[in-house]
Amino acid sequence: MTSLPHPGPPHPTTFEDLVAEGASVPTDGWDFSWFEGRATEARPSWGYAVSMAERLGRASAVLDVQTGGGEVLDFALSRVAEEATSRPATESAAETGSKSEPQSGTDTPAPKPPLLTVATEGWPPNVAKATALLRPRGVAVVAAAEDDPLPFADGAFDLVVSRHPVRPHWAEIARVLRPGGTYFAQHIGPNSVFELVEYFLGPQPDGVRSARHPDRERADAEAAGLDVVGLRAERLRVEFHDIGAVVHFLRKVVWMVPGFTVEAYEPRLRELHERIRADGPFVAHSTRHLFDARKPG
């Protein structure tokens, strides 16, 4: 989601029209631009897509796991390509024999796109969308179910990335990484947007609330043989400004309220619509953590 103002025509205002609009918007891919002016979410301070681009520019073989519609990988690759053309490789002072101090950055090789980039995705509409978006960049999108083994040889990649995987399969990640390779990913954390989840489902048991906890995931990564060299977590404010945004969000992020339909939750949706009209945006909090893990070797 985003905090930019919506540039289009005025939104509908009645409950029926808002719900109908939220229920009609396509949910494929991870493009959240429809939420502009209707919902906001603060972004983690580390800027994952930009940081991913920096890693891509130094890698030779890359795998993006559960790429969604390919939007984040496409952004990162486009940024690498732009930097590669705007900052050509330069020789360092040591290479030229110059005794003068090198200017900042001039002895750092320019980034360049990886020689091989592959992505996996399990949902057929996203496979098609990601393929159309990423094929022009030379990226192969492989249809692979979330729980299946990764369809690649051992040690095939020096960088594995993922933004918001349903669950990380640490043994498979470790298997396809080369010795010395890196897993660099942004995960959804525990209790993410649970104010909204529990509004519809009621209080959740501790086991559900603590799922995706970064400490647990660190232990699982280490059990798979990876060294976790960096782990950061943040809690971020989310606001829903109308009930149409709530409906679209729950249709798009299907694991929040499993089996969600407008018909099944119409009374609670109507109550929330009146609450937003009376009190302002519905406030929740998302949680994110950033993993930087290495395979020894």
Side-chain angles (χ1 to χ4, degrees):
M1 285 177 284
T2 177
S3 58
L4 297 176
H6 194 282
H11 303 310
T13 58
T14 69
F15 173 78
E16 291 75 14
D17 288 346
L18 286 166
V19 166
E21 185 181 26
S24 66
V25 182
T27 59
D28 55 325
W30 288 114
D31 179 3
F32 284 77
S33 60
W34 183 85
F35 287 100
E36 291 177 1
R38 314 187 70 151
T40 62
E41 180 182 15
R43 295 301 190 191
S45 61
W46 50 74
Y48 179 70
V50 173
S51 298
M52 181 203 288
E54 295 171 356
R55 303 295 182 106
L56 292 178
R58 304 194 300 267
S60 60
V62 176
L63 170 62
D64 182 17
V65 177
Q66 298 179 28
T67 193
E71 297 90 351
V72 177
L73 181 57
D74 179 68
F75 168 86
L77 287 171
S78 69
R79 188 176 178 94
V80 174
E82 290 171 3
E83 290 202 15
T85 56
S86 65
R87 188 165 69 86
T90 58
E91 296 178 309
S92 68
E95 292 170 328
T96 60
S98 170
K99 295 183 180 180
S100 61
E101 290 294 325
Q103 295 182 355
S104 175
T106 58
D107 57 350
T108 303
K112 58 183 179 180
L115 296 174
L116 172 68
T117 306
V118 184
T120 66
E121 174 55 34
W123 191 41
N126 277 352
V127 173
K129 184 169 185 176
T131 297
L133 181 63
L134 296 172
R135 181 188 289 127
R137 298 196 181 278
V139 178
V141 178
V142 178
E146 294 161 358
D147 294 324
D148 286 352
L150 293 171
F152 307 105
D154 296 0
F157 304 98
D158 58 318
L159 176 63
V160 176
V161 297
S162 190
R163 181 180 180 273
H164 302 175
V166 175
R167 64 185 64 83
H169 296 287
W170 294 109
E172 282 296 286
I173 292 166
R175 181 183 64 79
V176 301
L177 275 173
R178 297 172 183 168
T182 297
Y183 176 68
F184 184 71
Q186 179 175 292
H187 292 185
I188 297 171
N191 305 327
S192 193
V193 198
F194 255 51
E195 296 93 339
L196 187 66
V197 170
E198 294 189 331
Y199 175 84
F200 288 99
L201 299 181
Q204 296 297 289
D206 290 343
V208 174
R209 295 184 63 86
S210 63
R212 303 173 180 263
H213 196 283
D215 291 343
R216 180 180 299 175
E217 292 193 346
R218 176 198 287 272
D220 291 342
E222 292 173 344
L226 299 175
D227 294 332
V228 178
V229 298
L231 179 55
R232 299 170 60 186
E234 292 185 0
R235 186 170 184 262
L236 307 157
R237 184 181 176 92
V238 179
E239 295 183 359
F240 294 93
H241 294 266
D242 68 57
I243 201 65
V246 172
V247 169
H248 183 48
F249 177 79
L250 293 178
R251 290 178 57 241
K252 193 174 185 73
V253 190
V254 295
W255 56 84
M256 289 291 176
V257 179
F260 172 83
T261 65
V262 169
E263 294 74 19
Y265 289 95
E266 192 273 343
R268 291 297 278 167
L269 287 168
R270 190 175 291 277
E271 290 175 15
L272 184 55
H273 169 68
E274 296 301 332
R275 174 175 165 180
I276 291 172
R277 283 170 55 91
D279 301 331
F282 181 89
V283 176
H285 296 85
S286 64
T287 57
R288 302 287 183 264
H289 48 274
L290 182 72
F291 256 98
D292 190 351
R294 309 282 170 82
K295 182 174 182 177

